Amino acid sequence: MTEHALVVRARRALTPEGERPVSVAVDDGRITEVLSGDDAPLTAGRELRLAEDEVLLPGLVDSHVHVNEPGRTEWEGFASATRAAALGGVTTLVDMPLNSVPPTTTLDGLRAKRAAAEGKLAVDVGFWGGAVPENSGPDTTETLAELWDEGVFGFKSFLSPSGVDEFGHLSPEQLHTAATAIQAFGGRLIVHAEDPGVLAAAPPAAGREYADFLASRPDAAEHAAISLVIDTARRTGVRAHILHLSSASALPLIAQARAEGVPLTVESCPHYLTLAAEEVPAGDTSYKCCPPIRGAANRDLLWRALRDGLIDCVVSDHSPSTPDLKDLDTGDFGTAWGGVSGLQVGLSAMWTEARGRGVGLAEVVRWMSAEPARVSGVRGKGSIAPGLDADLAVFAPEEAVRVRAGALAHRNPLSAYDGAELRGRVRRTLLRGREVGPDSVEGRMITRT
């Protein structure tokens, strides 16, 4: 009988065939066998047997993380972000191209990212490129092709100001130019969809009342921008992806586009699916993000769309900053940095909300593992199946968790989930069959190819 490097035995495991008892054999960092039963006849140099209250999950894939290194490493960084990811069961993340300096909009920017990440990764990390005015003009799109050839997973663009000067937003004409170029080489265009005209016409955000901030980012801004993205995808054929959908008002547009065969995918985030505008305390700017957390009725519609498959996946949009930029002393939603830090707690938050809605753990994990891997083009991840990387998480779904922002591995002690009582704790995370510890730096930089 072949002796494997590792066998993981679990009475409950989430596999493509459903939840079942399994024995998982691992060799050279990959899953080589998945046999039914936690007592299947396999031998190994190492064996890990899960406790009765634990479930074996595929490692999560978070395709929307702002690591911010280099340039704004005091906001986050590869070491802290990947440690937080591992503690939350995330074994692969894809880093967004902005908030770092330089942004990932040129080959030099991509190389700077890779150099900054070297030797710091607790989990695997890939990179998005960026589509900005400088590389989305009629004579400048060759930079997009160069980044694609270097293995970025696609191209992020903004339709409204991004919040940082070095990453400009695209006009409708520039969006069309970029989409045409990206479609020509088979790439993917991912879009922060808020319309700048609608935002400019809305009342400005100011003060401590969350309702005033919410009024400054109305549903109509997402609706108009998503309509533009759909029209651009329809006319160019580019694979388009809507980032961090917060407004349910756009769901009929998305459904119609899908019915027409427009190549469109959609993500949402745990904070839109677990938090509600009515519950945001006055002056608590840890809840500020763009687009904003909306009302409870809107949240219910997002859950329906998620269960119906209209929303493909759930990812964190982890967008941290230093405490001073959150203006916690004044609680002014108009001036505070917009971004929620949720990388480490996303699975627990989603599972807590899901179990209250009668949604199974298998669905939650699919939305946070297999689906983001599929949508972003990350290969070899997202499932417990032979031939894939042995990226696994050991999850205790009934364990109570009280979130303390200061105890999270994120660089700065800020979280909209601070003080929350959640269910479900990740007890171990394995990357290619090896447990990720506090000092692990065995993560790899991955590419689309």
Side-chain angles (χ1 to χ4, degrees):
M1 181 179 294
T2 301
E3 180 169 283
H4 299 281
L6 169 69
V7 168
V8 182
R9 300 185 185 276
R11 290 205 172 180
R12 298 178 62 192
L14 301 183
T15 75
E17 294 76 29
E19 183 178 315
R20 59 193 178 112
V22 297
S23 298
V24 180
V26 177
D27 297 286
D28 297 321
R30 295 205 170 194
I31 297 170
T32 49
E33 291 189 77
V34 180
L35 301 185
S36 292
D38 63 340
D39 56 354
L42 294 170
T43 61
R46 291 188 297 136
E47 184 167 305
L48 171 62
R49 183 176 290 276
L50 272 61
E52 292 290 328
D53 64 338
E54 295 175 340
V55 184
L56 186 65
L57 314 180
L60 306 186
V61 176
D62 192 337
S63 56
H64 195 148
V65 178
H66 294 269
V67 175
N68 305 334
E69 187 175 7
R72 291 190 175 96
T73 309
E74 69 275 13
W75 293 17
E76 190 58 279
F78 285 106
S80 54
T82 58
R83 281 199 303 270
L87 288 168
V90 176
T91 51
T92 304
L93 63 84
V94 189
D95 173 56
M96 282 290 163
L98 73 155
N99 298 348
S100 56
V101 181
T104 318
T105 56
T106 64
L107 284 180
D108 285 345
L110 177 60
R111 289 165 183 153
K113 282 270 193 180
R114 288 174 171 167
E118 191 69 41
K120 299 177 183 176
L121 304 182
V123 301
D124 288 356
V125 174
F127 301 97
W128 295 107
V132 292
E134 292 81 1
N135 62 22
S136 298
D139 302 317
T140 60
T141 56
E142 68 276 359
T143 301
L144 300 174
E146 291 170 352
L147 284 166
W148 183 251
D149 290 342
E150 281 293 308
V152 300
F153 285 86
F155 300 90
K156 168 122 181 230
S157 65
F158 276 75
L159 299 182
S160 57
S162 70
V164 292
D165 293 339
E166 65 276 1
F167 200 99
H169 65 287
L170 300 183
S171 68
E173 294 75 22
Q174 290 165 335
L175 181 72
H176 187 275
T177 299
T180 300
I182 293 167
Q183 192 280 332
F185 54 72
R188 181 181 289 102
L189 178 64
I190 67 175
V191 186
H192 180 124
E194 289 183 286
D195 183 270
V198 175
L199 295 178
R208 295 173 54 85
E209 294 303 318
Y210 185 77
D212 294 335
F213 169 65
L214 185 59
S216 76
R217 318 288 296 204
D219 295 86
E222 281 190 87
H223 194 281
I226 289 170
S227 179
L228 174 62
V229 174
I230 289 170
D231 183 61
T232 301
R234 184 184 289 118
R235 289 189 291 133
T236 65
V238 74
R239 290 184 294 165
H241 178 71
I242 303 299
L243 295 165
H244 45 48
L245 179 71
S246 87
S247 174
S249 74
L251 291 170
L253 283 176
I254 293 166
Q256 179 59 38
R258 290 271 187 86
E260 294 174 15
V262 175
L264 183 71
T265 52
V266 181
E267 71 182 37
S268 192
C269 306
H271 43 276
Y272 301 130
L273 293 157
T274 67
L275 305 176
E278 298 91 337
E279 302 162 3
V280 177
D284 193 343
T285 56
S286 64
Y287 288 83
K288 180 181 175 179
C289 56
C290 300
I293 296 163
R294 303 190 189 275
N298 179 87
R299 179 179 60 186
D300 291 343
L301 293 173
L302 293 180
W303 270 97
R304 182 183 302 172
L306 186 59
R307 298 201 71 183
D308 289 345
L310 201 54
I311 297 172
D312 297 271
C313 58
V314 178
V315 292
S316 71
D317 188 14
H318 178 67
S319 185
S321 72
T322 51
D324 60 300
L325 294 177
K326 275 295 193 180
D327 288 341
L328 298 170
D329 54 341
T330 65
D332 190 334
F333 282 99
T335 59
W337 173 260
V340 168
S341 297
L343 178 58
Q344 186 173 333
V345 299
L347 175 59
S348 297
M350 278 294 294
W351 169 232
T352 302
E353 183 74 18
R355 69 198 295 275
R357 293 173 178 267
V359 178
L361 181 59
E363 286 186 271
V364 172
V365 172
R366 177 172 58 83
W367 294 328
M368 301 183 78
S369 186
E371 284 301 295
R374 176 187 66 83
V375 168
S376 61
V378 171
R379 298 185 180 182
K381 312 283 190 179
S383 183
I384 301 175
L388 303 189
D389 287 348
D391 295 354
L392 305 166
V394 177
F395 187 61
E398 298 307 315
E399 183 174 345
V401 176
R402 185 173 180 84
V403 179
R404 297 294 186 192
L408 298 173
H410 310 151
R411 175 152 301 193
N412 291 289
L414 295 171
S415 174
Y417 294 100
D418 188 31
E421 295 279 1
L422 304 177
R423 283 296 183 95
R425 183 183 297 277
V426 175
R427 292 181 177 166
R428 298 181 185 218
T429 298
L430 281 68
L431 183 70
R432 284 181 291 277
R434 300 191 64 172
E435 185 165 353
V436 181
D439 302 315
S440 295
V441 288
E442 297 180 8
R444 299 175 184 174
M445 282 178 267
I446 61 172
T447 67
R448 174 187 45 80
T449 54

